[in-house]
Amino acid sequence: MVNQESVVMIFPIKYKKLRPFLFIILVLSGLNGFCLSPSNGNGSSAINYSAINYKVDSLRNLLAATLANNDNPADTLTINRINKLAHEFIDVNPDSTLYYAKIAINRSLAIKYKKGIADGMLATGSVYSLMGQYDKAKKNFTGAKLLYISQKDQASLGYCYIEFGRMYDNIANYELASSYFAQALDIFRDLRDENGIATSYHNMGMVADNVGKSTYALDNYFKSLSLDIKLHDKLSSASNYNNIGVVMQEMEIYPKSMEYYKRAVKIWQESKNVQGVSTAYENMGEILMAEKKYDQALVYLAKSMKLTKDLDDKNGLSSLYADYGLCYANKKQFTASISFLTQALKICNDYKVDYNKAVTYNYFATVYNMQADYQHAYKYAVLGKTLADKLGSLGNRSSAALQLSIALGGLKRFEAAYYAQKEYEALKDSLKTDESVQKLTSFGLESNFAEKQRLLAEQHQRKDDLYQQKIQRQGLLSAIFFIIILGMAAILIIYYRAKRRQQNINTILEEKNHEVLQQKTDLDDQAGKLNELNTLKDRLISVLAHDLRAPLSTLRGLFSLLEDDSITHEQFLSMIPQALRKLEYTSDFLDTLLFWINSQMDNFENSAKSFPVKDVVAYEINSYQEQATGKGITLIDTVSPALAISADPNSIRIVIRNLITNAIKFSRQNDSICVSARYQDDNFILISIKDTGVGMSEKQLNKLFKSKVDSGTGTNNESGTGMGLLFCKDLIEKSNGKIWVQSSPDNGTEFFFTIPVGNCKEPEAVMVS
């Protein structure tokens, strides 16, 4: 089996295609003294999966975002990468090649990028050629060729001609195949593209081998191999080793043939090239068949069959099934032999593999002659001879003539058998003459190749010696430079350490300066707070002096009037409610003040607990319902019982009380006050106390929550201390909440404050004092 290699665009692609070798090898068994050799199928270069997987993964990563979004604008770089990905999949997954090539063509059409269209068509044509759909392949290759010519892209045109040649080689049109390979070679020579030249020689060698020109085939293979070795292209070298082995096998030089196969398989195994290994196994199996070691041959054929089926290589399968058929025939297992040959012939017909078809016809004739079924043997011998004459293969023609002679003899058609035998002997003499010349030539070519390799090795050795001398001279210079660098490094280290010490000292000084500045800032903050507390203290003393004296003076006057009998008992009773309200107001204020003073102490513990906010609101609404009703104000409670908060209940009670009394103070008759609560988010409850009273101006709003507050009189001339909102702000912030207000003149006022959400499953009982 011959291995074929190709380069599409700027990277190599290899695939399998059937190639036969001479038939007259096997010793006749049961054929009246005659024998046939097994046909060799085309070899394959194999897919270097490790290398391809790495390249494919890299390309996929680069193209992932672009391919996921069809709306991305097309650009030539991306299209080239998609086409490269398509070419990488030709031997691995042809369907993927068609998929990516279609994407590349569509995107290229969108921006009128001709090279992108041509590269995509070339990849598509290569897949169709492998699949045996030659009309589609030819259409795509022709389109690519015209685009490359219009763009004057000679390198790509050369690889396009290579694919054209392979297609015609597949369908046994060797004249056109040779023409295209020769055109490709001329292009690559003009471009001095050694990779392309090597590819052209390789393909020209396979065509020569197919038409029986083994000497010319070897010449081209060795030329290609020399370039591959020079370019360090191991996989291409393996393909050439394999194909040189095939030619040696045709010449029955089995030891040399096996030597070249081993060189090829070693490279393929190291690179995990599955298709190459399968090729080598089949070729080795064919050598064992030629040596009548049929059981050992079947072992190698089975290994090759498993790999070839995994690759779905139709050409290779047809070759292997034919080999199986001939091997089982020589083991006298004719039923199995006919079954395998039938499978081989079906694949050849389905995929137009004419050369294998001719081989299979001859194998059928051979098997039927071995069984003395001369009628069937004659039928297949005629078919094989007709096709072999068309293909021009000396080995197939010789084999067909031999089987036809045997079949005619068995049918008692002795005259026709005589002429067939004479034709066979003439072809055999010609074949033997060619073989003798070819053997001598092959030894000459191999010797020339070995001499070239020896000269190349000597050239490399001289370069290595010069390189070593250069290294030695540079070694002395390197040592001097190394000493200088060490000295400079020592100086730099000393400088660096001194610099680091200075930097550490500067850092410490900066930290100390920062600490001093921070302490100054803290002292300034503390001084500010002390001033605020001092102002607050003066304010509290003033409030206490005024607000405590007023109710006490009222009580003293009331009791003086009662003592002097200046008022009647009824008049005294009518004054008591007013005195009680003043006392109650003073008592509430003192409670609030004392609670707030306790909260400022260092040992004050915030007894936060979860409780329904509804309990506190309902209590305060009920407490001030009579006062609100007296002014004609409506109190509204819309708080849900399900809302629980986490805070000190007395703190919240004082805040709500102050805000409700403040709203009553500045509301008029027929106004309303609404208390509501809702979730602000997952962590806080938002509580609102909204009235429709007189509202506040922007100036008044800016004075709220400040240490200096002048409390205005209410709508019924109610007085106040101006301290309530300060207490509210402080208590809310201690509860981890915030408080703010919205208001405008004559549009009412709305106070908001937030409190952390509590656990509403088991709210604790609220003790309201």
Side-chain angles (χ1 to χ4, degrees):
M1 178 175 287
V2 175
N3 189 280
Q4 176 163 338
E5 157 204 38
S6 122
V7 179
V8 177
M9 313 318 299
I10 59 170
F11 38 91
I13 291 177
K14 299 178 175 133
Y15 60 93
K16 182 179 276 189
K17 190 177 166 203
L18 194 64
R19 289 281 177 271
F21 68 93
L22 300 177
F23 279 97
I24 314 301
I25 296 175
L26 290 177
V27 177
L28 267 167
S29 296
L31 284 180
N32 300 323
F34 293 102
C35 72
L36 288 178
S37 76
S39 123
N40 176 18
N42 159 27
S44 65
S45 74
I47 308 161
N48 182 356
Y49 284 103
S50 59
I52 286 181
N53 285 340
Y54 175 78
K55 290 190 284 185
V56 166
D57 289 342
S58 299
L59 286 169
R60 277 179 168 168
N61 291 336
L62 284 171
L63 295 171
T66 302
L67 294 177
N69 185 1
N70 290 326
D71 296 331
N72 281 345
D75 61 88
T76 57
L77 177 61
T78 299
I79 291 171
N80 290 340
R81 285 174 175 171
I82 296 173
N83 269 322
K84 187 173 182 180
L85 188 60
H87 284 288
E88 293 292 351
F89 273 113
I90 287 177
D91 286 315
V92 183
N93 189 338
D95 289 338
S96 294
T97 294
L98 295 177
Y99 170 75
Y100 287 116
K102 182 178 180 181
I103 293 175
I105 291 171
N106 289 337
R107 294 197 175 198
S108 298
L109 287 169
I111 61 173
K112 298 180 180 179
Y113 179 41
K114 292 184 179 181
K115 178 173 171 54
I117 299 171
D119 291 349
M121 294 179 74
L122 187 61
T124 303
S126 298
V127 172
Y128 284 137
S129 180
L130 288 174
M131 295 169 64
Q133 300 181 33
Y134 299 113
D135 290 338
K136 290 184 178 180
K138 183 178 179 181
K139 180 179 178 181
N140 280 277
F141 290 152
T142 301
K145 181 182 76 170
L146 294 174
L147 288 170
Y148 288 139
I149 291 173
S150 69
Q151 295 295 298
K152 298 181 179 180
D153 186 350
Q154 290 296 102
S156 299
L157 181 62
Y159 291 117
C160 184
Y161 285 155
I162 291 290
E163 293 303 317
F164 258 120
R166 284 178 171 170
M167 180 188 70
Y168 285 115
D169 189 39
N170 284 342
I171 58 179
N173 191 336
Y174 301 122
E175 184 176 352
L176 272 177
S178 296
S179 173
Y180 276 110
F181 291 144
Q183 291 180 71
L185 179 60
D186 289 340
I187 289 174
F188 293 133
R189 279 175 173 168
D190 290 341
L191 297 174
R192 298 183 180 179
D193 181 350
E194 292 186 328
N195 193 27
I197 293 171
T199 302
S200 300
Y201 279 138
H202 183 96
N203 286 281
M204 292 169 71
M206 285 189 296
V207 174
D209 189 24
N210 284 341
V211 297
K213 297 180 179 179
S214 300
T215 302
Y216 185 57
L218 279 177
D219 183 43
N220 282 290
Y221 286 149
F222 277 118
K223 287 178 179 178
S224 178
L225 180 59
S226 296
L227 289 171
D228 291 335
I229 293 173
K230 178 181 177 182
L231 296 170
H232 304 288
D233 187 346
K234 289 187 176 181
L235 288 177
S236 298
S237 298
S239 298
N240 279 303
Y241 285 137
N242 178 81
N243 293 355
I244 291 170
V246 169
V247 178
M248 296 291 185
Q249 184 177 344
E250 293 171 1
M251 298 177 180
E252 302 179 41
I253 312 174
Y254 298 133
K256 275 289 182 184
S257 176
M258 189 65 76
E259 178 184 332
Y260 281 104
Y261 287 152
K262 287 179 179 179
R263 291 183 189 179
V265 80
K266 180 181 179 182
I267 295 173
W268 283 330
Q269 287 176 339
E270 288 174 353
S271 61
K272 299 181 181 179
N273 188 314
V274 179
Q275 195 171 14
V277 174
S278 72
T279 299
Y281 284 155
E282 182 178 2
N283 291 338
M284 291 176 177
E286 289 173 350
I287 287 180
L288 292 169
M289 278 201 297
E291 295 174 343
K292 297 185 179 182
K293 299 175 181 178
Y294 302 119
D295 291 332
Q296 295 180 42
L298 287 173
V299 172
Y300 280 97
L301 292 178
K303 291 179 180 180
S304 180
M305 179 66 77
K306 181 180 183 304
L307 297 174
T308 305
K309 283 184 175 180
D310 290 341
L311 295 168
D312 195 27
D313 179 357
K314 302 301 183 184
N315 289 348
L317 286 173
S318 66
S319 173
L320 278 164
Y321 282 131
D323 285 344
Y324 264 110
L326 188 63
C327 191
Y328 277 110
N330 283 283
K331 287 170 64 67
K332 308 301 181 183
Q333 298 179 23
F334 297 113
T335 302
S337 173
I338 295 298
S339 175
F340 281 115
L341 290 175
T342 301
Q343 294 181 70
L345 186 59
K346 183 179 185 306
I347 293 174
C348 291
N349 286 326
D350 290 345
Y351 294 93
K352 301 179 183 179
V353 189
D354 286 344
Y355 211 108
N356 271 16
K357 190 175 180 179
V359 171
T360 305
Y361 282 150
N362 290 333
Y363 282 5
F364 264 118
T366 302
V367 174
Y368 283 123
N369 276 327
M370 292 171 71
Q371 299 178 80
D373 186 351
Y374 300 116
Q375 193 66 43
H376 280 95
Y378 173 75
K379 169 189 171 183
Y380 283 106
V382 170
L383 291 171
K385 185 176 184 305
T386 302
L387 188 53
D389 289 340
K390 176 185 175 183
L391 296 175
S393 170
L394 188 62
N396 279 333
R397 290 173 62 198
S398 175
S399 176
L402 172 62
Q403 299 306 318
L404 184 60
S405 172
I406 296 170
L408 288 169
L411 293 172
K412 311 300 183 183
R413 296 169 58 181
F414 298 112
E415 184 176 356
Y418 171 74
Y419 286 114
Q421 179 67 21
K422 286 191 67 175
E423 182 181 3
Y424 162 71
E425 289 176 354
L427 290 170
K428 183 179 179 183
D429 290 342
S430 174
L431 192 62
K432 284 187 175 180
T433 301
D434 287 349
E435 284 183 353
S436 299
V437 174
Q438 289 167 2
K439 287 181 181 179
L440 290 173
T441 305
S442 69
F443 288 127
L445 289 172
E446 191 173 16
S447 299
N448 290 338
F449 176 73
E451 179 63 18
K452 288 181 181 178
Q453 294 303 111
R454 185 186 65 78
L455 293 174
L456 185 61
E458 289 178 357
Q459 184 179 2
H460 284 309
Q461 184 61 46
R462 285 195 297 272
K463 288 182 178 179
D464 289 341
D465 293 341
L466 290 173
Y467 181 69
Q468 291 297 328
Q469 292 174 7
K470 186 176 180 181
I471 289 177
Q472 290 176 358
R473 287 196 300 269
Q474 289 179 344
L476 180 59
L477 292 174
S478 298
I480 296 172
F481 281 121
F482 181 69
I483 294 171
I484 294 173
I485 290 171
L486 281 179
M488 294 178 65
I491 294 171
L492 287 173
I493 290 171
I494 295 171
Y495 173 77
Y496 174 75
R497 288 180 175 176
K499 189 70 175 177
R500 287 290 296 172
R501 282 196 297 270
Q502 185 63 42
Q503 288 177 346
N504 290 335
I505 293 171
N506 292 339
T507 301
I508 294 171
L509 290 175
E510 288 177 0
E511 290 176 354
K512 294 298 182 183
N513 290 336
H514 180 72
E515 290 177 5
V516 171
L517 292 173
Q518 186 62 43
Q519 290 173 359
K520 182 179 181 300
T521 302
D522 293 342
L523 289 173
D524 291 341
D525 291 341
Q526 291 176 5
K529 290 179 180 179
L530 287 174
N531 289 333
E532 289 180 1
L533 290 174
N534 194 44
T535 302
L536 183 60
K537 177 200 69 173
D538 295 341
R539 180 71 175 173
L540 288 173
I541 292 172
S542 174
V543 169
L544 288 173
H546 178 271
D547 284 24
L548 288 178
R549 184 175 57 189
L552 292 176
S553 297
T554 300
L555 285 176
R556 185 177 62 184
L558 183 62
F559 286 125
S560 295
L561 292 173
L562 183 62
E563 184 180 15
D564 297 341
D565 293 328
S566 300
I567 58 173
T568 64
H569 183 67
E570 289 76 10
Q571 290 175 328
F572 176 75
L573 291 176
S574 65
M575 293 180 181
I576 288 176
Q578 182 179 2
L580 287 174
R581 281 195 296 274
K582 288 187 177 182
L583 286 173
E584 184 177 356
Y585 168 77
T586 302
S587 176
D588 286 343
F589 175 70
L590 287 174
D591 287 344
T592 300
L593 179 62
L594 289 173
F595 184 83
W596 178 80
I597 291 173
N598 286 332
S599 74
Q600 305 303 309
M601 301 299 179
D602 292 337
N603 60 351
F604 175 77
E605 295 182 0
N606 185 7
S607 55
K609 60 181 68 175
S610 293
F611 62 91
V613 68
K614 176 74 173 181
D615 292 352
V616 175
V617 172
Y619 178 82
E620 295 301 327
I621 290 283
N622 186 57
S623 299
Y624 288 94
Q625 186 67 52
E626 182 179 355
Q627 182 180 346
T629 303
K631 288 188 69 174
I633 299 170
T634 303
L635 291 179
I636 303 170
D637 176 9
T638 64
V639 178
S640 169
L643 294 177
I645 60 175
S646 176
D648 175 65
N650 284 321
S651 297
I652 303 306
R653 176 181 62 80
I654 289 171
V655 171
I656 292 176
R657 174 189 297 174
N658 273 276
L659 295 178
I660 289 177
T661 56
N662 198 58
I664 294 173
K665 178 180 177 182
F666 293 103
S667 294
R668 301 156 299 197
Q669 188 174 5
N670 298 324
D671 283 337
S672 63
I673 300 171
C674 178
V675 182
S676 62
R678 62 180 173 83
Y679 283 101
Q680 184 185 43
D681 51 37
D682 293 339
N683 300 316
F684 288 95
I685 299 290
L686 177 66
I687 301 173
S688 165
I689 293 88
K690 181 178 181 181
D691 65 65
T692 59
V694 297
M696 289 180 281
S697 65
E698 188 71 25
K699 183 178 180 181
Q700 289 174 308
L701 285 173
N702 292 333
K703 291 182 178 180
L704 294 182
F705 306 118
K706 303 290 176 65
S707 60
K708 295 181 180 181
V709 178
D710 295 325
S711 176
T713 57
T715 54
N716 283 354
N717 295 318
E718 298 98 329
S719 62
T721 64
M723 305 299 295
L725 291 179
L726 287 176
F727 298 155
C728 290
K729 179 176 184 295
D730 188 67
L731 293 174
I732 290 298
E733 290 177 350
K734 285 184 181 298
S735 298
N736 299 317
K738 296 180 180 180
I739 185 169
W740 68 95
V741 62
Q742 295 178 356
S743 181
S744 61
D746 297 325
N747 288 321
T749 301
E750 185 171 12
F751 280 89
F752 302 91
F753 65 91
T754 58
I755 295 296
V757 174
N759 182 3
C760 60
K761 292 183 179 179
E762 296 181 1
E764 301 181 26
V766 179
M767 298 298 296
V768 181
S769 59

